[in-house]
């Protein structure tokens, strides 16, 4: 969705991004915990139906944590859920809840929202938030993930932030 009104807002500084990141980290932990409970429930269901065995371990959690294939699939599931949380919010409305609190929006420079694929690429390029350190090395206030996905994070006016809803209006 193209929103030309948002094309002229100023880019966000490192400090503003950091504020939103701290807020969103709490939400990401909650997503991680819920995904973990769901993943463990599926694993437990596979065990109780006899599809998988304990593999010599006494407890099911030991089997999950000490069997490389199970642990790998479980960790991938958790990463996809947390990454998907960010990608979904960025592609649907350009804001996570932390970004909304700090009046930030991720978008293309012309004001267009990111596609889900571009938002997924942005998650990868952010390198767990470390891509934001790139802002400190240049004057254009673009992080690594901004440059790699041709996007930016802007500071919305109070009015523009209040008029936005989760669907990107």
């Amino acid at each position: 969705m193209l929103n030309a009104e948002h094309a002229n807002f100023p880019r966000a500084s490192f400090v503003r991004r950091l504020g939103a990141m701290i807020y969103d980290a709490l939400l990401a932990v909650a997503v991680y915990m819920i995904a973990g409970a769901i993943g463990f429930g599926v694993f437990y269901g596979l065990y109780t139906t006899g599809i998988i065995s304990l593999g010599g371990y006494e407890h099911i959690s030991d089997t999950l944590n000490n069997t490389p294939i199970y642990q790998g699939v479980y960790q991938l599931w958790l990463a996809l859920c947390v990454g998907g949380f960010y990608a979904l919010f960025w592609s649907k409305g350009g804001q996570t809840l932390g970004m909304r609190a700090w009046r930030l929006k991720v978008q293309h420079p012309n004001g267009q929202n990111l596609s889900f694929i571009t938002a997924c690429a942005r998650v990868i390029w952010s390198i767990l938030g470390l891509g934001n350190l790139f802002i400190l090395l240049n004057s254009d206030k673009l992080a690594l993930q901004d440059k790699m996905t041709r996007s930016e994070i802007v500071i919305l006016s109070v009015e523009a932030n209040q008029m936005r809803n989760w669907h990107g209006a």
Side-chain angles (χ1 to χ4, degrees):
M1 179 176 170
L2 181 63
N3 192 338
E5 296 172 9
H6 294 177
N8 297 318
F9 285 116
R11 290 184 178 150
S13 68
F14 177 78
V15 173
R16 283 188 84 97
R17 288 176 184 235
L18 185 61
M21 284 174 36
I22 291 169
Y23 190 105
D24 283 335
L26 298 173
L27 297 170
V29 167
V31 170
Y32 180 89
M33 290 170 51
I34 292 168
I38 292 169
F40 188 81
V42 169
F43 188 74
Y44 184 76
L46 293 172
Y47 164 70
T48 58
T49 59
I51 295 173
I52 59 173
S53 69
L54 290 180
Y57 294 99
E58 186 176 344
H59 299 287
I60 193 162
S61 61
D62 292 334
T63 303
L64 178 60
N65 291 321
N66 296 310
T67 308
I69 188 71
Y70 297 154
Q71 185 181 27
V73 169
Y74 185 65
Q75 293 303 318
L76 178 63
W77 161 254
L78 295 173
L80 289 173
C81 287
V82 173
F85 158 77
Y86 285 101
L88 184 65
F89 274 81
W90 287 340
S91 64
K92 289 295 181 188
Q95 294 178 302
T96 58
L97 295 175
M99 292 173 75
R100 186 165 174 98
W102 283 83
R103 294 192 349 251
L104 302 178
K105 179 189 175 203
V106 63
Q107 63 183 17
H108 290 292
N110 65 358
Q112 182 178 9
N113 286 343
L114 305 183
S115 69
F116 184 73
I117 298 298
T118 302
C120 289
R122 187 178 169 79
V123 168
I124 294 166
W125 282 111
S126 71
I127 314 169
L128 298 174
L130 294 177
N132 288 306
L133 294 176
F134 198 70
I135 296 170
L136 302 174
L137 303 175
N138 62 68
S139 61
D140 57 6
K141 293 184 180 177
L142 291 174
L144 177 63
Q145 61 269 25
D146 297 332
K147 288 190 179 273
M148 299 307 292
T149 60
R150 295 186 183 111
S151 61
E152 63 183 2
I153 292 186
V154 296
I155 303 170
L156 297 176
S157 66
V158 173
E159 296 79 22
N161 196 48
Q162 287 176 347
M163 291 176 58
R164 295 189 48 71
N165 63 32
W166 195 73
H167 299 290

